C-alpha cells in the first residue's frame, strides 16, 4: 500500500473505532443501566435496538441519493451528526431520554458504516480488498481492547455518562482528520455522468438475484450475531456470578486476539478465497455461541477463554463476508447498495436484540432464563448463512495490466 492509502485506512479505522465504541459500550453497561433505571432486560433491549432501528431507516433513505455525492462529503456530514447524537447520550437524565439520544445518534450513524465500506471498495481492487477490510476491522479489536475497558472504567469511576463525553471529544478530532486528510472520493461520479432515478436503486436490486442473496446473507448473519450479544454481560453477571467489575476483561481479551487474527484472516481470504474462509469461521463460531449461551461456570479463565474464541471466530467470518458483499455491484451503484445493506444489517440487529429480549426472562431472584434458546436461534441463523453465502457470486472485476484494464471473473 502507498502512504496515502495507509493514511486513508487509518482515518477510516478511527471513524469505525469511535462509531463501534459508541455502539458497543451500551452492551457491557447493561447490568449498570438496568440497575440505575430499574428496567428489565426487555426494556434494555429497546435501548439497544433504538439505535439500530433509526440507523436502519436513515441508511435505507440514504440509498436513494448517496451515489450522487462525493463520498467524503457524505461521511463527513454523517459523522458530524453522529458526534452530536453521542454528546446527547452523555447528558441523558432518564432511560427515555437515552432512547431518544440513541435514535439521534443512529440516524446519522446509519450512514457511516456503508460509506466507510464503499470508500474502501472504491479505493482498493477486489484482489486487495479483504486485506484492506481486515485493517479496517482492527478498529473493532482496538475498540474492544482500549475503548470498552476504558469506557467501563470511566463509567465505574465517574458515572455511565462519561464514556459518551469522551467518545464525543474524540469524534471532534476525527472530524478534523476527515476534513484535512481524506481526499475527494468521487471516481464513481466521473464514471456516471447521468444521475439515476432514485427508484432505480430499488429496482436494480430487485431485478438482480445475486444482490438480493447478498442482502439476505447480511441479514441472516446479523440475526444470529445480535440476538446473543446484548445479553452476554447481563447473563454472565446474573446467572454464573461473573463479577460486573470484570466485564471489561471479556472485551480486552477478545480484542487482543482479533488485533492479530483480523489482518491474517483478510490476507488468507484474498489468497484462499472469500467463501471457503467464511465457511471455516462460520462453523468454528458455532462452538463459542453454544458455550457462551450455556455457560455454567463463572470462573474468570473459563469465561475469558470462551469470549476469546467467540471474538476470533465471529470476527473471522465477517471479514470475507464484507468483501463478498461489496463486490456484487458496480462502483457507480456501490454506495447506494452498501447503504441498503447497512440499513438491513441495522434493522436485523434491532430485530435480533428484541428477539433475544422476548425469549429470555428475568425471574424475581434475578436469574435470566431461556438464554440457551437464544443460542440455538443464533446457531440456526449461522447454518443458514453458510448455504446462502455459497450462492453469492462476485461480478467480473477489471485488472490493470500495463495500464490496460482487463475484465476477469
Amino acid at each position: 500500500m502507498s502512504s496515502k492509502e495507509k493514511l486513508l485506512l487509518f482515518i477510516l479505522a478511527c471513524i469505525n473505532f469511535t462509531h463501534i465504541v459508541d455502539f458497543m459500550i451500551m452492551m457491557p453497561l447493561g447490568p449498570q443501566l438496568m440497575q440505575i433505571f430499574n428496567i428489565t432486560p426487555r426494556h434494555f433491549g429497546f435501548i439497544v435496538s433504538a439505535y439500530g432501528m433509526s440507523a436502519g431507516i436513515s441508511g435505507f433513505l440514504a440509498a436513494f441519493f448517496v451515489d450522487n455525492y462525493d463520498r467524503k462529503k457524505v461521511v463527513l456530514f454523517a459523522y458530524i451528526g453522529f458526534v452530536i447524537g453521542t454528546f446527547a447520550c452523555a447528558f441523558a437524565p432518564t432511560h427515555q431520554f437515552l432512547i431518544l439520544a440513541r435514535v439521534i445518534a443512529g440516524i446519522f450513524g446509519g450512514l457511516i458504516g456503508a460509506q466507510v465500506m464503499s470508500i474502501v471498495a472504491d479505493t482498493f481492487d477486489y484482489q486487495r480488498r479483504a486485506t484492506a477490510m481486515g485493517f479496517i476491522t482492527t478498529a473493532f479489536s482496538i475498540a474492544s481492547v482500549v475503548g470498552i475497558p476504558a469506557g467501563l472504567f470511566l463509567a465505574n469511576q465517574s458515572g455511565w455518562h462519561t464514556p459518551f463525553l469522551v467518545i464525543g471529544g474524540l469524534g471532534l478530532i476525527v472530524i478534523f482528520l476527515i476534513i484535512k486528510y481524506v481526499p475527494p472520493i468521487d471516481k464513481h461520479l466521473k464514471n456516471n455522468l447521468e444521475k439515476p432515478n432514485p427508484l432505480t436503486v430499488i429496482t436494480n436490486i430487485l431485478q438482480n438475484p445475486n444482490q438480493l442473496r447478498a442482502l439476505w446473507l447480511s441479514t441472516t448473519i446479523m440475526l444470529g450475531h445480535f440476538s446473543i450479544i446484548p445479553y452476554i454481560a447481563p447473563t454472565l453477571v446474573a446467572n454464573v456470578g461473573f463479577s460486573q467489575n470484570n466485564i471489561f476483561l471479556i472485551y480486552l481479551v477478545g480484542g487482543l486476539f482479533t488485533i492479530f487474527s483480523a489482518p491474517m484472516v483478510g490476507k488468507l481470504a484474498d489468497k484462499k478465497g472469500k467463501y471457503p474462509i467464511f465457511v471455516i469461521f462460520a462453523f468454528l463460531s458455532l462452538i463459542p455461541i453454544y458455550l457462551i449461551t450455556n455457560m455454567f461456570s463463572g470462573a474468570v479463565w473459563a469465561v475469558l477463554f470462551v469470549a476469546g474464541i467467540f471474538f476470533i471466530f465471529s470476527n473471522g467470518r465477517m471479514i470475507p463476508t464484507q468483501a463478498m458483499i461489496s463486490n456484487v455491484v458496480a462502483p457507480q451503484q456501490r454506495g447506494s447498495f452498501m447503504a441498503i445493506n447497512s440499513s438491513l444489517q441495522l434493522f436485523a440487529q434491532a430485530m435480533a436484540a428484541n428477539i433475544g429480549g422476548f425469549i429470555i426472562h428475568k425471574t424475581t431472584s434475578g436469574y435470566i432464563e431461556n438464554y440457551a434458546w437464544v443460542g440455538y436461534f443464533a446457531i440456526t441463523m449461522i447454518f443458514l448463512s453458510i448455504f446462502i453465502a455459497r450462492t453469492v457470486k462476485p461480478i467480473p472485476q477489471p485488472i490493470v495490466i500495463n495500464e490496460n484494464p482487463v475484465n476477469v471473473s
Side-chain angles (χ1 to χ4, degrees):
M1 293 183 189
S2 68
S3 58
K4 289 184 178 180
E5 288 176 334
K6 291 178 180 178
L7 178 59
L8 175 63
L9 286 179
F10 171 75
I11 296 172
L12 294 178
C14 288
I15 294 172
N16 264 7
F17 171 80
T18 49
H19 186 217
I20 291 167
V21 172
D22 176 86
F23 178 75
M24 287 181 60
I25 195 67
M26 291 300 303
M27 289 171 272
L29 284 176
Q32 189 174 348
L33 291 174
M34 285 192 287
Q35 182 179 4
I36 291 172
F37 294 132
N38 192 27
I39 56 177
T40 66
R42 185 175 299 179
H43 287 104
F44 174 66
F46 292 153
I47 295 176
V48 174
S49 64
Y51 182 99
M53 289 298 293
S54 60
I57 293 171
S58 68
F60 177 80
L61 296 176
F64 297 108
F65 64 82
V66 289
D67 278 329
N68 294 332
Y69 300 95
D70 181 343
R71 301 209 197 284
K72 173 185 176 176
K73 293 180 180 178
V74 176
V75 79
L76 178 61
F77 167 78
Y79 194 75
I80 290 173
F82 160 75
V83 170
I84 292 172
T86 299
F87 277 122
C89 294
F91 296 103
T94 65
H95 87 274
Q96 291 92 343
F97 191 96
L98 180 59
I99 291 175
L100 177 61
R102 297 308 291 163
V103 168
I104 295 171
I107 288 172
F108 294 97
L111 306 178
I112 293 174
Q115 291 309 300
V116 167
M117 291 303 172
S118 295
I119 291 172
V120 172
D122 283 358
T123 307
F124 295 88
D125 56 64
Y126 190 62
Q127 288 71 28
R128 298 189 300 154
R129 194 169 299 156
T131 301
M133 295 285 187
F135 187 91
I136 293 296
T137 307
T138 58
F140 170 83
S141 307
I142 297 171
S144 302
V145 173
V146 179
I148 304 304
L152 290 175
F153 174 79
L154 292 171
N156 291 331
Q157 296 296 315
S158 307
W160 67 267
H161 303 81
T162 311
F164 295 102
L165 278 173
V166 175
I167 296 167
L170 291 174
L172 295 177
I173 299 174
V174 176
I175 289 172
F176 168 77
L177 293 176
I178 297 171
I179 295 172
K180 181 74 174 178
Y181 296 108
V182 174
I185 312 292
D186 57 0
K187 184 167 58 177
H188 62 290
L189 298 177
K190 297 174 182 177
N191 296 332
N192 191 24
L193 299 179
E194 293 185 8
K195 292 186 178 181
N197 186 315
L199 291 179
T200 61
V201 173
I202 299 298
T203 56
N204 285 344
I205 293 175
L206 293 177
Q207 294 172 2
N208 191 313
N210 195 39
Q211 292 181 16
L212 288 173
R213 290 191 293 266
L215 296 177
W216 189 20
L217 173 62
S218 275
T219 302
T220 306
I221 289 178
M222 289 299 110
L223 284 174
H225 196 57
F226 275 88
S227 56
I228 64 172
I229 287 282
Y231 307 104
I232 291 176
T235 305
L236 288 175
V237 172
N239 291 12
V240 299
F242 192 72
S243 172
Q244 183 172 315
N245 294 330
N246 288 333
I247 289 175
F248 78 94
L249 291 174
I250 296 173
Y251 296 88
L252 177 64
V253 170
L256 281 173
F257 282 137
T258 53
I259 282 177
F260 298 101
S261 68
M264 290 190 290
V265 171
K267 292 178 181 179
L268 196 62
D270 281 338
K271 184 176 181 180
K272 300 296 184 180
K274 278 70 171 176
Y275 177 71
I277 299 303
F278 165 78
V279 172
I280 291 171
F281 280 96
F283 275 120
L284 289 174
S285 69
L286 300 178
I287 300 171
I289 288 175
Y290 175 83
L291 293 176
I292 211 162
T293 55
N294 290 272
M295 187 70 70
F296 59 87
S297 171
V300 174
W301 70 267
V303 172
L304 295 184
F305 171 76
V306 174
I309 61 174
F310 175 78
F311 272 66
I312 292 172
F313 298 154
S314 297
N315 185 266
R317 72 169 183 249
M318 289 304 300
I319 293 170
T321 301
Q322 293 287 7
M324 287 190 293
I325 290 172
S326 71
N327 209 56
V328 299
V329 63
Q332 291 79 8
Q333 291 83 42
R334 184 173 286 133
S336 298
F337 177 80
M338 294 302 285
I340 293 287
N341 176 65
S342 179
S343 175
L344 286 177
Q345 284 183 329
L346 290 161
F347 275 130
Q349 289 175 14
M351 187 186 304
N354 284 310
I355 288 173
F358 277 102
I359 294 176
I360 64 177
H361 171 69
K362 188 175 183 179
T363 66
T364 54
S365 65
Y367 187 86
I368 297 178
E369 297 179 326
N370 301 331
Y371 193 41
W373 286 102
V374 180
Y376 301 142
F377 170 79
I379 288 172
T380 302
M381 292 297 101
I382 299 305
F383 265 119
L384 182 59
S385 72
I386 293 172
F387 293 100
I388 299 172
R390 184 181 179 86
T391 67
V392 177
K393 305 298 182 184
I395 62 174
Q397 291 295 299
I399 291 181
V400 176
I401 301 175
N402 295 329
E403 300 184 353
N404 293 316
V406 178
N407 282 326
V408 297
S409 298

